[in-house]
Amino acid sequence: MIHYAAETFTPDERDVLRRYVTNLRQPVFALVNLPEVVKGALFARYSRTHKTLRRLLLDEFVDDLDISGDETIDATVGVERAEQLYQRVFVEYGDDSVAQLGAVHLACEQASNLLTKILERGRLMSYLEQSTRYLAYDERVQGRYRYHRPPSVMSSAVGTRFIGDVDRMFDAYGDMVRRMTAWLTDHHDAAKGGAVSSVTAKGGTVSSVTAKGGTVSSVTAKGGDLARRRAIRAQAFDAARGLLPAASLSNVGIFGSGQAYEALLLRMRAHPLPEARSYAQLMLTELRKVIPSFLRRVDQPDRGIVWSDYLEANRVAMDEFAAELFADETPEPVPEVVLTDWDPAGEEKMLAAMLFPYTDLPESQIAARVREMTEAQRLDLVQRYAGERTNRRHRPSRALERIDYRFDVLGDYGSFRDLQRHRLLTIEWQPLGPRHGYVVPGLVDAAGGGEAYDEVMELSAEMYDALADAVGPLEASYAVAMAYRVRYSMQFNAREAMHMIELRSQPQGHEDYRRIVTEMYRQIAEMAGHRAVAAMLSHVDLSQGVLGRLGAEEATERRRSAEPA
């Protein structure tokens, strides 16, 4: 059985919480009987607080709510009316679309960083995950560091070693945060010439990745202002997060329809990771207290169980086939980002799609006319369609969805976590392990922390090998530090490229995923030759600087100071 830390509340607190959460002790619970804006605000705070959602509700929201009318409500008791209301439509008539009409805010706490990627895979759901940028991860709960302890690992011959080694990783993380905070406070403009990240492949070739292009920004203010302190703190957390193991626990807020939850639970029940399967049962129990009819089929032998068995059988068959096919193959050295597939005629197709809604002509006739257009006419068309994009949230319409790009990425697990949450794309990833080497942030080397960083990577790799022998490579991934690289493929259209690349290239972003998305931008323009697409991505930021978060923190302070007291 997986151990989850249970919260304690006073009798008065329990009396309040029973009105709004479906249980008081389990790590999974649903929010009910609250205004939608309150539920959204609670989840918005999730990413920047160590507090659980129940504690957050008590400490920061209850005083602002009128709860006098909720005194007789007890959300910890199952909801029977929903069962009666949808029984005939959903069960008797089998209309799956009805399950899109009921949605739930579900708090998923104490989930490992392997599990969070499984939780966040679905496209038709919204997620908000606890951040590694704004929170120190070396705080203890009930005297223990916050990481998952798999029962199979704990009962194995290396269980005691796992605890000792992962504790050492958290100790090193805390030391690195303090080192980086001190160094950034004294040397925040030291990387004026551009930041460099070393990428070391364990047992293979060594390459370096240097951030390219743009104007370098430096911070020279020496004051103790809040914005600067927050920027330094965020940068220190960013630099140190690669030392955290994938076993590190996180909180995830999920909002989705009954249909989306059903699909998620079917996948989780078929997943080879034991944590995912047991967590699925916790989720199902809580969701049935709110939308029981929508999840009736999940564990029925002739419905949900058959579907999950189908998914599991396919996975096993593919595992066996791939293992046999590539038994003698080893990974070839490749760049960090490779554009593997694109349509050479994509821009012409995009131009035709831009014109399509504005004529009454068939698409073939529009495409023929586009092929006859001069370069000046094409440029004029693109400029008119994109318009004047005064900020990155101004995005043109769906013609950009006519072009697809597919990238093979070999990046650190930390940046993968951030990019994986983009949902309007197709992403697949391979198992996490130490085989592909790891990324050392340039600031860590500059601060003299490279040797300490390497020691943790070696400890992580050795622990992985020991666990792989004891419990298998899947659960051995819990010991892998987030600085280690994982291979994943991303396929998306030009409109999603505009959203993701512009967002993730901003100065306040982590240097590792900034490097990945700006390389995608370069390859779209140069390798695919889609310069019209690249030109529309007018808010890609190629600048480099140490305190990239400072501008955002200063803007936040300006907004706060402008708010009425």
Side-chain angles (χ1 to χ4, degrees):
M1 177 179 292
I2 297 174
H3 171 79
Y4 291 106
E7 291 183 90
T8 58
F9 304 102
T10 67
D12 287 344
E13 288 175 336
R14 289 197 295 270
D15 181 56
V16 171
L17 285 173
R18 284 193 182 95
R19 308 168 195 181
Y20 308 114
V21 300
T22 52
N23 75 72
L24 301 182
R25 294 184 61 83
Q26 296 298 322
V28 179
F29 54 93
L31 291 176
V32 295
N33 304 321
L34 287 167
E36 292 300 309
V37 67
V38 173
K39 289 185 280 189
L42 274 165
F43 276 7
R45 282 281 287 122
Y46 228 169
S47 68
R48 301 194 184 194
T49 180
H50 284 293
K51 295 179 181 180
T52 67
L53 205 70
R54 299 181 186 97
R55 177 53 58 190
L56 196 61
L57 175 61
L58 290 169
D59 291 352
E60 301 184 22
F61 286 83
V62 166
D63 289 344
D64 295 327
L65 297 174
D66 179 7
I67 65 175
S68 59
D70 298 337
E71 293 176 357
T72 61
I73 294 173
D74 188 346
T76 62
V77 177
V79 180
E80 296 182 2
R81 284 189 177 182
E83 184 82 4
Q84 298 168 1
L85 182 61
Y86 289 102
Q87 181 77 15
R88 184 163 46 165
V89 176
F90 187 62
V91 177
E92 293 185 16
Y93 296 103
D95 187 353
D96 284 10
S97 63
V98 175
Q100 298 172 11
L101 304 179
V104 178
H105 286 82
L106 192 70
C108 297
E109 300 185 344
Q110 302 182 56
S112 77
N113 268 271
L114 295 182
L115 177 59
T116 59
K117 300 307 100 192
I118 300 168
L119 292 172
E120 297 167 0
R121 186 179 178 90
R123 288 191 180 97
L124 301 179
M125 306 182 89
S126 298
Y127 314 96
L128 206 149
E129 182 178 346
Q130 197 171 44
S131 174
T132 57
R133 161 168 289 171
Y134 303 106
L135 302 173
Y137 267 63
D138 60 339
E139 291 195 4
R140 296 174 186 259
V141 174
Q142 298 178 358
R144 308 199 307 177
Y145 284 130
R146 297 179 64 249
Y147 59 87
H148 182 60
R149 294 161 173 81
S152 61
V153 172
M154 300 308 296
S155 62
S156 73
V158 294
T160 301
R161 177 182 170 184
F162 175 77
I163 295 296
D165 284 358
V166 175
D167 276 358
R168 288 171 60 192
M169 294 174 73
F170 274 84
D171 289 340
Y173 164 83
D175 292 341
M176 187 62 70
V177 168
R178 288 183 285 275
R179 176 197 290 267
M180 295 308 305
T181 300
W183 187 88
L184 285 163
T185 300
D186 293 335
H187 304 87
H188 48 267
D189 59 346
K192 189 174 181 180
V196 178
S197 299
S198 298
V199 181
T200 305
K202 179 177 180 287
T205 59
V206 177
S207 61
S208 65
V209 181
T210 305
K212 301 175 181 178
T215 303
V216 177
S217 62
S218 63
V219 180
T220 57
K222 295 289 185 178
D225 59 282
L226 182 59
R228 177 173 170 274
R229 291 199 304 272
R230 283 177 172 167
I232 288 174
R233 184 175 171 85
Q235 195 78 51
F237 288 156
D238 271 356
R241 80 170 181 185
L243 300 176
L244 293 169
S248 302
L249 296 181
S250 186
N251 296 333
V252 180
I254 304 178
F255 177 71
S257 68
Q259 188 178 56
Y261 276 117
E262 181 186 61
L264 172 60
L265 291 173
L266 292 176
R267 291 195 306 270
M268 292 178 69
R269 289 167 64 89
H271 202 279
L273 192 70
E275 183 189 9
R277 297 197 300 272
S278 63
Y279 210 88
Q281 187 58 46
L282 294 174
M283 295 171 65
L284 180 59
T285 299
E286 299 310 308
L287 288 166
R288 277 182 168 161
K289 296 175 181 178
V290 187
I291 48 171
S293 293
F294 297 165
L295 300 167
R296 174 181 291 273
R297 302 179 300 189
V298 170
D299 52 3
Q300 287 184 346
D302 61 336
R303 305 300 293 272
I305 291 178
V306 171
W307 294 339
S308 293
D309 288 346
Y310 163 79
L311 295 173
E312 184 173 12
N314 287 2
R315 175 184 55 77
V316 171
M318 288 302 301
D319 276 343
E320 293 174 349
F321 188 90
E324 181 178 351
L325 184 64
F326 299 111
D328 300 323
E329 300 277 353
T330 57
E332 299 175 352
V334 294
E336 185 176 41
V337 180
V338 180
L339 177 60
T340 59
D341 188 56
W342 70 94
D343 186 348
E347 285 200 334
E348 280 193 359
K349 295 176 181 178
M350 179 186 70
L351 296 177
M354 288 177 174
L355 291 165
F356 182 85
Y358 302 99
T359 78
D360 59 357
L361 303 175
E363 189 168 29
S364 58
Q365 189 174 347
I366 299 171
R369 181 67 185 88
V370 165
R371 286 191 290 271
E372 299 173 354
M373 291 172 62
T374 65
E375 192 64 30
Q377 287 176 317
R378 294 185 178 197
L379 179 61
D380 187 28
L381 170 57
V382 170
Q383 289 176 338
R384 289 171 182 264
Y385 192 82
E388 185 178 352
R389 299 185 62 223
T390 57
N391 67 66
R392 63 178 175 81
R393 292 175 177 82
H394 293 169
R395 285 187 287 273
S397 194
R398 294 188 173 184
L400 276 70
E401 297 173 12
R402 189 66 176 86
I403 311 177
D404 275 335
Y405 305 100
R406 186 175 180 87
F407 288 91
D408 186 319
V409 184
L410 186 58
D412 68 290
Y413 191 73
S415 62
F416 161 74
R417 292 168 61 255
D418 296 310
L419 297 179
Q420 185 260 355
R421 286 197 292 273
H422 287 266
R423 295 182 296 285
L424 295 183
L425 48 76
T426 298
I427 184 167
E428 295 282 359
W429 60 93
Q430 297 175 355
L432 175 64
R435 68 187 67 81
H436 296 307
Y438 55 89
V439 175
V440 181
L443 290 178
V444 169
D445 278 331
E451 184 176 348
Y453 207 94
D454 291 340
E455 289 175 358
V456 174
M457 296 304 109
E458 183 177 353
L459 175 70
S460 172
E462 291 174 353
M463 187 69 248
Y464 172 88
D465 291 339
L467 285 175
D469 291 337
V471 298
L474 181 61
E475 291 193 278
S477 297
Y478 284 115
V480 179
M482 293 188 193
Y484 274 103
R485 300 192 294 178
V486 63
R487 189 186 305 280
Y488 53 100
S489 67
M490 299 183 76
Q491 183 170 331
F492 45 82
N493 59 47
R495 196 162 189 261
E496 174 62 14
M498 176 178 285
H499 166 66
M500 184 182 73
I501 294 175
E502 290 186 339
L503 171 65
R504 296 299 184 178
S505 68
Q506 296 305 300
Q508 60 266 37
H510 195 287
E511 67 172 83
D512 290 331
Y513 65 62
R514 289 192 75 204
R515 184 179 65 249
I516 288 170
V517 299
T518 53
E519 180 61 18
M520 289 177 172
Y521 170 71
R522 186 192 67 80
Q523 292 188 28
I524 287 173
E526 298 178 9
M527 185 178 295
H530 291 175
R531 298 190 180 276
V533 173
M536 284 189 284
L537 273 61
S538 54
H539 293 278
V540 175
D541 194 312
L542 301 177
S543 64
Q544 297 295 320
V546 180
L547 293 188
R549 184 70 201 169
L550 182 59
E553 293 293 350
E554 289 175 335
T556 299
E557 284 304 301
R558 288 193 296 270
R559 287 195 298 271
R560 285 175 177 164
S561 63
E563 292 176 355

